Amino acid sequence: MTYKTILTVLTSQDTAETPLSQAASMAAAFDGHTDVLCLGVDRTQTGYYYAGANAMVLQETMTRAKDDANALQSYADDYLKKAGVQFSTDAGIAQIADMGRHVARLARFSDLVVLGQPYGKGKGVEAEPVVEAALFEGRAPVLVVPDNAKPVGQPKTILVAWNESIEAMTSIRKAIPFLTGADLVRIVVIDPPQHGPERSDPGGMLAQMLARQGVKCEIDVLSKTMPRVSDILIRHAADTDAGMIVMGAYGHSRFREAILGGATRNMLENATVPIFLAH
């Protein structure tokens, strides 16, 4: 298994460089192909127009979205030509309520989706739905890259957040190409259950499984010294000079098809290194 089809989705030129540079680095590292979806987003409505809306206003909105998409595509073409990787770009327009369908369709046929951080200053309201669509509808692994992060093709040290969950194991399996290429993978277990099946050897079976794949592992058992698990992982990543965190993506259905769960959202809000997620 490797990452041959690497997708990124751009909705604003202001936030395009970070995911583009990371996707290009991934394509170079894995001899892959970068696909770029450049979306001009109609942010004026959430999926419909009022019957009395002025036709000229509607046309102006669609024209602006089309111009945005074409400008993004030109930017991506120029950037990736200079990067010297295999790539293709596509431009389209969509309303926010319909974006998930377009993102999920392409994500289903991608080995990895590289996206920018969905929260923070300058982020559009469409950034979170793009991540959710790739994860929960497209069922693709997603690498979320913090703002202004230096692109890394293959991190030397990777943290794996292990809590014995199905989501965590799904993410680990899909991250195998990164894990086998790392110098060291640190399996992080925070406050392991005292009466669980791994109580005598937290993370031991996972380490054995990965070692058979040729992964060099160490197990770090940490106490929950901070209120949020995400804060502990981010601090440990800094302490160990890790270049990536692999964790399961948690979500639940409520008003939308998928909403990122609290632990996942906290991690994406505060991450200082790329976060590899799968669900």
Side-chain angles (χ1 to χ4, degrees), residues 103 115-118 126-136 142 144 260 268 277:
V103 174
L115 299 172
Q117 207 165 9
E126 72 278 1
E128 185 182 41
V130 167
V131 174
E132 291 175 351
L135 277 171
F136 300 118
V142 174
V144 177
L260 289 172
L268 297 186
L277 299 162

Side-chain angles (χ1 to χ4, degrees), residues 222-254:
L222 307 178
S223 298
K224 191 177 180 185
T225 55
M226 304 173 76
R228 296 189 301 196
V229 168
S230 58
D231 293 334
I232 299 172
L233 290 172
I234 290 169
R235 184 180 64 182
H236 197 57
D239 291 344
T240 57
D241 197 26
M244 180 184 292
I245 297 174
V246 175
M247 61 178 285
Y250 302 91
H252 56 270
S253 297
R254 189 171 289 173

Side-chain angles (χ1 to χ4, degrees), residues 20 72-82 87-89:
L20 266 181
L72 272 171
Q73 186 175 28
S74 296
Y75 177 80
D77 285 340
D78 291 343
Y79 192 98
L80 294 173
K81 283 176 184 175
K82 293 176 182 176
F87 74 93
S88 60
T89 61

Side-chain angles (χ1 to χ4, degrees), residues 9 96-97 99-105 107-108 113-119 124-144 249-262 264-266 268 277-279:
V9 181
I96 289 177
M99 288 181 57
R101 178 168 60 92
H102 303 289
V103 174
R105 181 177 63 84
R108 289 189 191 107
V113 182
V114 177
L115 299 172
Q117 207 165 9
Y119 310 109
V125 294
E126 72 278 1
E128 185 182 41
V130 167
V131 174
E132 291 175 351
L135 277 171
F136 300 118
E137 298 173 58
R139 296 287 172 173
V142 174
L143 185 68
V144 177
Y250 302 91
H252 56 270
S253 297
R254 189 171 289 173
F255 302 110
R256 294 204 302 265
E257 286 189 36
I259 298 177
L260 289 172
T264 307
R265 183 184 176 103
N266 288 337
L268 297 186
L277 299 162
H279 180 78

